[in-house]
Amino acid sequence: MARLVLLGLIPLALAFSPTRRYDGAKVFRVNLQTDQQAETLRNLSRVVKLDFWRPDSAHQITSKMSVDFHVTADQSGPVQELLEQNHMKYKILFHNVQDGIEKQLLTKSSFKRKVHSYTRYNTWETIDRWTKRIAEKNSKLVSRIKIGDTAEGRPIYLLKVGKQSSVKKAIFMDCGIHAREWISPAFCQWFVKEATGKYGKDKTMTNLLNEMAFYVLPVLNIDGYVYTWIEDRFWRKNRSKNPGSDCVGTDLNRNFDAAWGSIGSSNEPCEDIYCGAAAESEKETKAVANFIRENVHSLKAYLTFHAFSEMLLYPYGYTYDLAPTHEDLNAVAKAAVEALESLYGTNYTYGQIASTIYPTAGSSVDWTYDQGIKYSFGFELRDNGEYGFLLPESFIKPTCQETMLAVISIANHVLGTVAYI
Protein backbone atom coordinates (compact mmCIF):
# COMPACT_ATOMS: atom_id res chain seq x y z
CA MET A 1 0.00 0.00 0.00
CA ALA A 2 3.05 2.27 0.04
CA ARG A 3 3.12 2.57 -3.75
CA LEU A 4 1.78 5.63 -5.52
CA VAL A 5 -0.36 3.65 -7.95
CA LEU A 6 -3.24 3.57 -5.47
CA LEU A 7 -6.23 5.59 -6.61
CA GLY A 8 -9.03 7.51 -4.98
CA LEU A 9 -9.30 8.76 -1.43
CA ILE A 10 -6.74 7.05 0.80
CA PRO A 11 -5.68 7.91 4.34
CA LEU A 12 -2.41 9.82 4.10
CA ALA A 13 -0.57 7.67 6.62
CA LEU A 14 -1.19 4.67 4.37
CA ALA A 15 -0.91 6.24 0.92
CA PHE A 16 2.36 8.03 1.61
CA SER A 17 4.25 5.71 3.89
CA PRO A 18 7.51 4.77 2.12
CA THR A 19 8.64 1.14 2.09
CA ARG A 20 11.49 1.76 4.53
CA ARG A 21 10.10 2.32 8.01
CA TYR A 22 11.65 4.08 10.98
CA ASP A 23 9.68 2.60 13.86
CA GLY A 24 11.43 3.38 17.13
CA ALA A 25 14.23 5.34 15.45
CA LYS A 26 15.27 8.42 17.39
CA VAL A 27 16.64 11.82 16.39
CA PHE A 28 19.27 13.17 18.77
CA ARG A 29 20.56 16.71 19.06
CA VAL A 30 24.01 16.71 20.65
CA ASN A 31 25.74 19.90 21.75
CA LEU A 32 29.46 19.23 21.47
CA GLN A 33 31.66 21.14 23.87
CA THR A 34 35.17 19.75 23.32
CA ASP A 35 37.39 18.37 20.58
CA GLN A 36 37.35 15.03 22.36
CA GLN A 37 33.56 14.85 22.24
CA ALA A 38 33.62 15.71 18.53
CA GLU A 39 36.15 12.96 17.89
CA THR A 40 34.08 10.49 19.92
CA LEU A 41 31.03 11.20 17.79
CA ARG A 42 33.05 10.90 14.57
CA ASN A 43 34.39 7.54 15.77
CA LEU A 44 30.89 6.41 16.70
CA SER A 45 29.70 7.16 13.16
CA ARG A 46 32.24 4.68 11.82
CA VAL A 47 30.75 1.91 13.96
CA VAL A 48 27.06 2.79 14.01
CA LYS A 49 25.03 4.13 11.07
CA LEU A 50 24.20 7.69 12.05
CA ASP A 51 22.10 9.55 9.49
CA PHE A 52 23.23 13.13 9.94
CA TRP A 53 20.55 15.77 9.54
CA ARG A 54 22.86 18.64 10.47
CA PRO A 55 25.69 18.91 9.49
CA ASP A 56 25.60 16.77 6.35
CA SER A 57 28.10 14.17 7.54
CA ALA A 58 30.61 13.20 10.21
CA HIS A 59 33.34 14.89 8.13
CA GLN A 60 31.98 18.28 9.18
CA ILE A 61 31.70 17.68 12.93
CA THR A 62 33.68 20.05 15.13
CA SER A 63 33.57 21.10 18.77
CA LYS A 64 31.18 23.88 19.83
CA MET A 65 28.69 22.52 17.31
CA SER A 66 25.10 21.33 17.56
CA VAL A 67 24.70 18.02 15.71
CA ASP A 68 21.39 16.39 14.74
CA PHE A 69 21.24 12.76 13.62
CA HIS A 70 18.85 9.84 13.66
CA VAL A 71 19.69 6.29 14.66
CA THR A 72 17.73 3.02 14.39
CA ALA A 73 15.64 1.67 17.25
CA ASP A 74 18.06 -1.13 18.13
CA GLN A 75 21.02 1.25 18.27
CA SER A 76 19.34 4.18 20.02
CA GLY A 77 19.88 2.74 23.52
CA PRO A 78 23.63 2.10 23.14
CA VAL A 79 24.11 5.49 21.44
CA GLN A 80 22.28 7.27 24.25
CA GLU A 81 24.39 5.42 26.82
CA LEU A 82 27.61 6.42 25.05
CA LEU A 83 26.55 10.08 24.97
CA GLU A 84 25.92 10.00 28.69
CA GLN A 85 29.20 8.24 29.44
CA ASN A 86 31.06 10.98 27.60
CA HIS A 87 29.09 13.75 29.32
CA MET A 88 27.61 15.02 26.07
CA LYS A 89 24.60 17.26 26.41
CA TYR A 90 21.78 15.97 24.23
CA LYS A 91 18.09 16.25 23.51
CA ILE A 92 15.84 13.73 21.79
CA LEU A 93 13.94 15.57 19.05
CA PHE A 94 11.96 12.53 17.86
CA HIS A 95 11.35 9.49 20.03
CA ASN A 96 9.78 7.65 17.09
CA VAL A 97 10.76 8.93 13.65
CA GLN A 98 8.01 6.92 11.94
CA ASP A 99 5.41 8.94 13.82
CA GLY A 100 7.01 12.12 12.48
CA ILE A 101 6.91 10.82 8.91
CA GLU A 102 3.23 9.99 9.13
CA LYS A 103 2.26 13.20 10.97
CA GLN A 104 4.02 15.37 8.40
CA LEU A 105 1.25 14.70 5.90
CA LEU A 106 -1.73 14.54 8.25
CA THR A 107 -3.01 18.09 7.82
CA LYS A 108 -6.18 16.41 6.60
CA SER A 109 -7.09 12.76 6.86
CA SER A 110 -7.39 12.19 3.12
CA PHE A 111 -7.37 13.93 -0.27
CA LYS A 112 -7.36 13.26 -3.98
CA ARG A 113 -3.73 12.72 -4.72
CA LYS A 114 -3.89 14.12 -8.24
CA VAL A 115 -4.95 17.58 -7.04
CA HIS A 116 -2.08 20.03 -6.69
CA SER A 117 -1.98 22.17 -3.57
CA TYR A 118 0.34 25.00 -2.56
CA THR A 119 -0.10 24.28 1.13
CA ARG A 120 0.64 20.55 0.99
CA TYR A 121 3.61 18.51 -0.14
CA ASN A 122 3.00 17.25 -3.66
CA THR A 123 4.28 14.08 -5.32
CA TRP A 124 6.51 14.51 -8.36
CA GLU A 125 3.74 13.30 -10.66
CA THR A 126 1.49 16.06 -9.33
CA ILE A 127 4.21 18.69 -9.66
CA ASP A 128 4.99 17.59 -13.21
CA ARG A 129 1.34 17.97 -14.27
CA TRP A 130 1.24 21.33 -12.51
CA THR A 131 4.21 22.70 -14.49
CA LYS A 132 2.42 21.92 -17.74
CA ARG A 133 -0.90 23.29 -16.55
CA ILE A 134 0.40 26.58 -15.15
CA ALA A 135 2.38 27.25 -18.32
CA GLU A 136 -0.72 26.64 -20.45
CA LYS A 137 -2.90 28.77 -18.17
CA ASN A 138 -0.42 31.67 -18.19
CA SER A 139 1.00 31.32 -21.69
CA LYS A 140 1.88 35.01 -22.01
CA LEU A 141 3.87 34.96 -18.79
CA VAL A 142 5.13 31.38 -18.31
CA SER A 143 6.87 28.94 -20.62
CA ARG A 144 7.96 25.37 -19.88
CA ILE A 145 11.47 24.46 -21.05
CA LYS A 146 13.08 21.03 -21.05
CA ILE A 147 16.76 21.24 -20.12
CA GLY A 148 17.66 17.55 -19.89
CA ASP A 149 16.81 14.18 -18.38
CA THR A 150 17.53 12.56 -15.02
CA ALA A 151 19.60 9.44 -14.40
CA GLU A 152 16.39 7.38 -14.48
CA GLY A 153 15.13 9.07 -17.64
CA ARG A 154 12.64 11.58 -16.28
CA PRO A 155 12.48 14.89 -18.21
CA ILE A 156 13.78 17.97 -16.36
CA TYR A 157 11.57 20.99 -16.98
CA LEU A 158 12.04 24.51 -15.73
CA LEU A 159 9.55 27.36 -15.89
CA LYS A 160 10.52 30.69 -17.37
CA VAL A 161 8.42 33.34 -15.68
CA GLY A 162 8.51 36.87 -17.08
CA LYS A 163 6.85 39.18 -19.58
CA GLN A 164 9.67 40.24 -21.89
CA SER A 165 10.61 38.04 -24.80
CA SER A 166 14.17 39.34 -25.03
CA VAL A 167 15.68 38.74 -21.59
CA LYS A 168 18.21 41.34 -20.43
CA LYS A 169 18.30 40.35 -16.79
CA ALA A 170 17.30 37.04 -15.24
CA ILE A 171 17.46 35.07 -12.00
CA PHE A 172 17.87 31.30 -11.88
CA MET A 173 16.18 29.51 -8.98
CA ASP A 174 16.29 25.82 -8.15
CA CYS A 175 14.70 23.74 -5.45
CA GLY A 176 15.01 20.15 -4.29
CA ILE A 177 18.68 19.45 -5.06
CA HIS A 178 18.57 17.25 -1.95
CA ALA A 179 15.66 14.83 -2.14
CA ARG A 180 14.50 14.81 1.49
CA GLU A 181 14.24 18.60 1.83
CA TRP A 182 10.56 18.78 0.89
CA ILE A 183 9.93 22.38 1.94
CA SER A 184 12.30 23.47 -0.83
CA PRO A 185 10.20 22.34 -3.85
CA ALA A 186 7.14 23.66 -2.02
CA PHE A 187 8.68 27.13 -2.13
CA CYS A 188 9.45 27.07 -5.86
CA GLN A 189 5.84 26.17 -6.56
CA TRP A 190 4.68 28.94 -4.23
CA PHE A 191 6.91 31.48 -5.98
CA VAL A 192 5.38 30.70 -9.38
CA LYS A 193 1.88 30.94 -7.89
CA GLU A 194 2.63 34.35 -6.40
CA ALA A 195 4.31 35.62 -9.55
CA THR A 196 1.47 34.64 -11.86
CA GLY A 197 -1.28 35.54 -9.40
CA LYS A 198 0.03 39.01 -8.56
CA TYR A 199 1.13 40.08 -12.02
CA GLY A 200 -0.92 43.12 -13.01
CA LYS A 201 -2.20 43.52 -9.46
CA ASP A 202 0.89 44.09 -7.34
CA LYS A 203 3.17 46.94 -8.44
CA THR A 204 6.42 45.35 -7.28
CA MET A 205 5.78 41.94 -8.82
CA THR A 206 4.47 43.44 -12.05
CA ASN A 207 7.59 45.58 -12.40
CA LEU A 208 9.89 42.62 -11.73
CA LEU A 209 8.21 40.41 -14.30
CA ASN A 210 8.07 43.20 -16.89
CA GLU A 211 11.77 43.91 -16.55
CA MET A 212 13.34 40.51 -15.93
CA ALA A 213 12.77 36.77 -16.09
CA PHE A 214 12.89 34.08 -13.44
CA TYR A 215 14.00 30.60 -14.47
CA VAL A 216 12.44 28.32 -11.84
CA LEU A 217 13.40 24.65 -11.52
CA PRO A 218 10.80 23.23 -9.08
CA VAL A 219 12.67 19.96 -8.40
CA LEU A 220 16.28 19.50 -9.48
CA ASN A 221 16.74 16.02 -8.01
CA ILE A 222 13.58 14.44 -9.39
CA ASP A 223 14.60 10.78 -9.08
CA GLY A 224 15.66 11.24 -5.47
CA TYR A 225 12.47 13.13 -4.64
CA VAL A 226 10.35 10.30 -6.06
CA TYR A 227 12.38 7.84 -4.00
CA THR A 228 11.63 9.72 -0.77
CA TRP A 229 7.92 9.18 -1.38
CA ILE A 230 7.96 5.49 -2.26
CA GLU A 231 11.05 3.99 -0.62
CA ASP A 232 13.04 6.05 1.90
CA ARG A 233 11.84 9.37 3.30
CA PHE A 234 15.40 10.45 4.20
CA TRP A 235 17.13 9.77 0.89
CA ARG A 236 19.42 12.69 -0.04
CA LYS A 237 21.32 11.94 -3.26
CA ASN A 238 20.20 11.33 -6.82
CA ARG A 239 19.63 7.76 -8.04
CA SER A 240 22.47 7.17 -10.51
CA LYS A 241 24.34 3.88 -10.53
CA ASN A 242 27.96 3.92 -9.34
CA PRO A 243 30.20 1.46 -11.25
CA GLY A 244 32.05 -0.88 -8.94
CA SER A 245 29.77 -0.16 -5.98
CA ASP A 246 26.42 -1.42 -4.76
CA CYS A 247 25.75 2.04 -3.30
CA VAL A 248 23.54 4.30 -5.39
CA GLY A 249 23.55 8.03 -5.91
CA THR A 250 25.65 11.18 -5.90
CA ASP A 251 25.21 14.32 -3.85
CA LEU A 252 24.37 16.80 -6.59
CA ASN A 253 25.48 19.70 -4.43
CA ARG A 254 28.99 18.25 -4.32
CA ASN A 255 29.09 17.55 -8.06
CA PHE A 256 29.63 21.03 -9.49
CA ASP A 257 33.05 22.07 -10.76
CA ALA A 258 34.01 24.32 -7.84
CA ALA A 259 37.06 22.85 -6.09
CA TRP A 260 35.33 19.54 -6.84
CA GLY A 261 36.23 16.56 -4.69
CA SER A 262 38.05 18.48 -2.00
CA ILE A 263 36.89 19.80 1.37
CA GLY A 264 33.51 18.75 2.79
CA SER A 265 32.84 15.99 0.26
CA SER A 266 33.62 12.30 -0.05
CA ASN A 267 34.90 10.02 -2.81
CA GLU A 268 33.14 7.04 -1.22
CA PRO A 269 29.90 6.17 -3.12
CA CYS A 270 28.18 4.95 0.04
CA GLU A 271 28.52 8.37 1.71
CA ASP A 272 25.66 10.89 1.60
CA ILE A 273 28.13 13.56 0.46
CA TYR A 274 29.65 11.48 -2.36
CA CYS A 275 30.90 13.95 -4.97
CA GLY A 276 30.55 11.63 -7.98
CA ALA A 277 33.09 10.15 -10.37
CA ALA A 278 33.96 13.57 -11.80
CA ALA A 279 32.73 17.14 -11.78
CA GLU A 280 29.38 17.29 -13.60
CA SER A 281 29.31 13.51 -13.87
CA GLU A 282 25.60 13.53 -13.11
CA LYS A 283 22.94 14.19 -15.73
CA GLU A 284 21.05 16.55 -13.44
CA THR A 285 24.15 18.61 -12.65
CA LYS A 286 25.15 18.71 -16.30
CA ALA A 287 21.68 19.86 -17.40
CA VAL A 288 21.68 22.78 -14.96
CA ALA A 289 25.30 23.72 -15.65
CA ASN A 290 24.78 23.69 -19.42
CA PHE A 291 21.67 25.86 -19.19
CA ILE A 292 23.44 28.36 -16.94
CA ARG A 293 26.49 28.50 -19.22
CA GLU A 294 24.24 29.12 -22.22
CA ASN A 295 22.41 31.95 -20.45
CA VAL A 296 25.14 33.36 -18.21
CA HIS A 297 25.15 36.67 -20.09
CA SER A 298 21.66 37.46 -18.76
CA LEU A 299 21.79 35.71 -15.39
CA LYS A 300 22.43 38.24 -12.64
CA ALA A 301 21.49 36.09 -9.65
CA TYR A 302 21.35 32.44 -8.68
CA LEU A 303 19.18 31.29 -5.77
CA THR A 304 19.08 27.71 -4.50
CA PHE A 305 16.76 26.55 -1.74
CA HIS A 306 17.62 23.92 0.86
CA ALA A 307 16.49 22.90 4.34
CA PHE A 308 16.93 23.18 7.20
CA SER A 309 18.71 25.74 9.44
CA GLU A 310 17.21 29.18 8.71
CA MET A 311 20.25 30.66 6.97
CA LEU A 312 21.10 32.73 3.92
CA LEU A 313 24.54 31.78 2.62
CA TYR A 314 26.89 33.07 -0.04
CA PRO A 315 30.37 32.15 -1.42
CA TYR A 316 32.70 30.70 -0.65
CA GLY A 317 32.21 27.23 0.77
CA TYR A 318 35.39 25.64 -0.54
CA THR A 319 37.66 28.20 1.12
CA TYR A 320 37.57 30.53 4.08
CA ASP A 321 38.91 33.30 1.84
CA LEU A 322 36.39 36.06 1.29
CA ALA A 323 34.79 36.40 -2.13
CA PRO A 324 35.90 39.45 -4.15
CA THR A 325 32.45 41.01 -3.71
CA HIS A 326 32.02 39.87 -0.10
CA GLU A 327 30.86 43.24 1.22
CA ASP A 328 28.19 43.58 -1.45
CA LEU A 329 26.98 39.99 -0.93
CA ASN A 330 26.81 40.58 2.80
CA ALA A 331 24.79 43.79 2.39
CA VAL A 332 22.31 42.15 0.03
CA ALA A 333 21.96 39.15 2.35
CA LYS A 334 21.43 41.43 5.37
CA ALA A 335 18.63 43.31 3.62
CA ALA A 336 17.00 40.06 2.44
CA VAL A 337 17.09 38.55 5.93
CA GLU A 338 15.61 41.71 7.44
CA ALA A 339 12.78 41.58 4.90
CA LEU A 340 12.15 37.92 5.71
CA GLU A 341 12.15 38.49 9.46
CA SER A 342 9.69 41.39 9.18
CA LEU A 343 6.74 39.04 8.62
CA TYR A 344 6.92 36.42 11.38
CA GLY A 345 10.14 37.29 13.17
CA THR A 346 11.98 34.19 11.96
CA ASN A 347 15.59 34.71 12.94
CA TYR A 348 17.88 33.92 9.99
CA THR A 349 21.65 33.81 10.16
CA TYR A 350 23.54 35.03 7.10
CA GLY A 351 27.12 34.89 5.94
CA GLN A 352 29.82 33.06 4.01
CA ILE A 353 29.16 29.33 3.60
CA ALA A 354 32.43 28.02 5.02
CA SER A 355 32.44 30.12 8.16
CA THR A 356 28.68 30.24 8.77
CA ILE A 357 27.62 26.61 8.36
CA TYR A 358 30.65 24.45 7.36
CA PRO A 359 33.19 24.22 4.53
CA THR A 360 32.12 22.33 1.44
CA ALA A 361 33.31 21.96 -2.14
CA GLY A 362 31.44 21.31 -5.37
CA SER A 363 28.39 23.37 -4.45
CA SER A 364 26.16 25.08 -6.99
CA VAL A 365 26.44 28.46 -5.21
CA ASP A 366 30.23 28.54 -5.49
CA TRP A 367 30.16 27.31 -9.09
CA THR A 368 27.64 29.93 -10.29
CA TYR A 369 29.57 32.68 -8.54
CA ASP A 370 32.76 31.57 -10.24
CA GLN A 371 30.89 31.64 -13.57
CA GLY A 372 30.35 35.37 -13.05
CA ILE A 373 26.89 35.37 -11.46
CA LYS A 374 27.58 37.98 -8.83
CA TYR A 375 24.57 37.40 -6.60
CA SER A 376 24.71 33.70 -5.79
CA PHE A 377 22.90 32.67 -2.62
CA GLY A 378 21.78 29.51 -0.89
CA PHE A 379 18.76 29.54 1.41
CA GLU A 380 18.39 27.06 4.27
CA LEU A 381 14.67 27.27 4.96
CA ARG A 382 12.72 26.47 8.13
CA ASP A 383 13.06 25.21 10.68
CA ASN A 384 16.01 25.25 13.06
CA GLY A 385 15.73 21.58 13.97
CA GLU A 386 12.56 20.98 15.97
CA TYR A 387 11.08 19.17 12.96
CA GLY A 388 14.02 19.25 10.55
CA PHE A 389 13.23 17.38 7.35
CA LEU A 390 9.80 16.49 8.74
CA LEU A 391 8.48 20.05 8.73
CA PRO A 392 4.66 19.76 8.94
CA GLU A 393 2.48 21.01 6.12
CA SER A 394 1.11 23.73 8.39
CA PHE A 395 4.52 25.45 8.08
CA ILE A 396 4.50 25.60 4.28
CA LYS A 397 2.50 28.82 3.95
CA PRO A 398 4.38 30.95 6.51
CA THR A 399 7.74 29.64 5.30
CA CYS A 400 6.93 30.52 1.70
CA GLN A 401 5.40 33.88 2.55
CA GLU A 402 8.47 35.08 4.44
CA THR A 403 10.90 33.64 1.88
CA MET A 404 9.09 35.55 -0.89
CA LEU A 405 10.03 38.79 0.84
CA ALA A 406 13.71 37.83 0.83
CA VAL A 407 13.62 36.83 -2.85
CA ILE A 408 11.87 40.06 -3.83
CA SER A 409 14.47 42.02 -1.87
CA ILE A 410 17.30 40.35 -3.80
CA ALA A 411 15.46 40.71 -7.12
CA ASN A 412 14.89 44.42 -6.57
CA HIS A 413 18.58 44.88 -5.93
CA VAL A 414 19.48 42.96 -9.09
CA LEU A 415 17.04 45.08 -11.06
CA GLY A 416 18.62 48.21 -9.65
CA THR A 417 15.53 49.60 -7.98
CA VAL A 418 17.25 49.61 -4.58
CA ALA A 419 20.87 49.92 -3.49
CA TYR A 420 22.45 48.55 -0.34
CA ILE A 421 25.42 50.22 1.28
Side-chain angles (χ1 to χ4, degrees):
M1 296 185 71
R3 299 291 178 175
L4 297 181
V5 295
L6 297 177
L7 302 175
L9 295 174
I10 306 174
L12 286 171
L14 297 179
F16 294 100
S17 182
T19 299
R20 182 175 178 181
R21 295 184 61 84
Y22 288 86
D23 297 286
K26 289 182 171 60
V27 176
F28 288 88
R29 168 168 291 173
V30 182
N31 293 312
L32 300 172
Q33 301 298 314
T34 67
D35 290 339
Q36 183 178 352
Q37 289 180 345
E39 183 61 25
T40 298
L41 196 56
R42 283 194 293 268
N43 289 336
L44 175 64
S45 71
R46 299 184 185 105
V47 179
V48 177
K49 172 60 177 175
L50 305 179
D51 182 9
F52 287 94
W53 287 21
R54 185 175 58 178
D56 291 339
S57 77
H59 297 264
Q60 292 142 341
I61 294 175
T62 62
S63 62
K64 308 300 181 182
M65 173 184 282
S66 176
V67 178
D68 298 350
F69 61 85
H70 88 245
V71 64
T72 60
D74 60 333
Q75 294 287 356
S76 61
V79 167
Q80 188 170 347
E81 184 177 348
L82 182 141
L83 297 178
E84 292 171 354
Q85 288 174 351
N86 287 272
H87 308 290
M88 298 187 197
K89 296 180 180 180
Y90 70 89
K91 177 182 179 181
I92 299 177
L93 301 179
F94 284 92
H95 288 270
N96 186 344
V97 173
Q98 188 63 32
D99 285 346
I101 292 173
E102 294 174 0
K103 288 178 181 178
Q104 186 179 46
L105 289 155
L106 286 175
T107 302
K108 294 185 177 180
S109 62
S110 61
F111 72 102
K112 293 180 179 179
R113 198 161 348 100
K114 291 185 178 181
V115 177
H116 182 273
S117 172
Y118 293 103
T119 56
R120 298 177 189 160
Y121 296 115
N122 297 294
T123 66
W124 166 246
E125 291 79 6
T126 302
I127 296 171
D128 189 37
R129 288 191 296 268
W130 166 81
T131 62
K132 182 179 180 181
R133 187 170 63 252
I134 200 161
E136 292 174 345
K137 184 179 178 181
N138 302 275
S139 58
K140 294 183 179 180
L141 196 63
V142 181
S143 55
R144 186 177 186 236
I145 304 168
K146 182 181 177 182
I147 64 170
D149 294 286
T150 69
E152 294 183 337
R154 294 180 174 89
I156 303 172
Y157 290 105
L158 62 76
L159 297 173
K160 177 185 175 184
V161 185
K163 190 66 177 177
Q164 61 176 357
S165 56
S166 177
V167 178
K168 295 180 180 179
K169 289 186 177 181
I171 294 177
F172 189 100
M173 298 167 50
D174 65 54
C175 292
I177 195 169
H178 290 142
R180 60 190 179 184
E181 299 167 8
W182 283 9
I183 187 61
S184 169
F187 174 71
C188 270
Q189 294 163 69
W190 184 277
F191 176 86
V192 176
K193 172 188 79 75
E194 290 290 287
T196 55
K198 289 187 175 181
Y199 182 78
K201 302 172 184 177
D202 176 82
K203 183 178 179 180
T204 298
M205 185 61 73
T206 302
N207 183 57
L208 287 174
L209 296 182
N210 279 340
E211 299 298 326
M212 65 194 310
F214 292 84
Y215 294 109
V216 183
L217 184 53
V219 185
L220 198 165
N221 183 4
I222 298 169
D223 297 343
Y225 185 72
V226 170
Y227 197 75
T228 63
W229 281 80
I230 64 175
E231 293 292 343
D232 185 349
R233 176 62 187 84
F234 299 117
W235 187 259
R236 171 185 169 93
K237 302 184 286 183
N238 75 346
R239 293 294 301 166
S240 63
K241 300 290 191 297
N242 293 311
S245 175
D246 293 332
C247 294
V248 174
T250 290
D251 183 343
L252 298 177
N253 203 41
R254 301 293 187 276
N255 192 236
F256 286 84
D257 194 8
W260 175 85
S262 58
I263 191 169
S265 63
S266 172
N267 59 7
E268 168 52 57
C270 297
E271 292 271 3
D272 273 347
I273 56 170
Y274 175 53
C275 61
E280 295 184 24
S281 61
E282 305 309 295
K283 288 186 175 181
E284 297 88 346
T285 312
K286 179 67 75 175
V288 170
N290 281 343
F291 182 86
I292 288 175
R293 277 190 287 259
E294 291 166 3
N295 294 276
V296 73
H297 62 283
S298 64
L299 289 171
K300 306 305 177 184
Y302 169 79
L303 308 178
T304 183
F305 298 86
H306 294 248
F308 58 96
S309 283
E310 297 174 358
M311 293 180 175
L312 181 54
L313 306 168
Y314 53 80
Y316 285 113
Y318 61 74
T319 177
Y320 286 99
D321 294 342
L322 299 183
T325 59
H326 173 83
E327 294 301 325
D328 193 17
L329 287 167
N330 194 67
V332 173
K334 180 177 184 290
V337 164
E338 289 174 349
L340 184 151
E341 292 179 353
S342 69
L343 189 59
Y344 295 110
T346 308
N347 185 21
Y348 263 55
T349 301
Y350 63 94
Q352 181 203 40
I353 298 169
S355 58
T356 304
I357 186 166
Y358 42 70
T360 180
S363 76
S364 61
V365 172
D366 282 351
W367 180 79
T368 54
Y369 184 80
D370 285 345
Q371 295 301 301
I373 301 176
K374 181 179 178 181
Y375 298 108
S376 291
F377 294 98
F379 284 79
E380 294 283 350
L381 302 178
R382 290 199 195 185
D383 61 1
N384 207 21
E386 181 180 356
Y387 294 105
F389 302 124
L390 299 180
L391 193 72
E393 289 181 323
S394 59
F395 285 79
I396 294 176
K397 183 176 180 180
T399 301
C400 293
Q401 287 176 324
E402 66 188 12
T403 308
M404 281 294 302
L405 299 179
V407 171
I408 289 171
S409 175
I410 295 170
N412 278 330
H413 181 72
V414 170
L415 194 58
T417 55
V418 295
Y420 305 134
I421 299 174

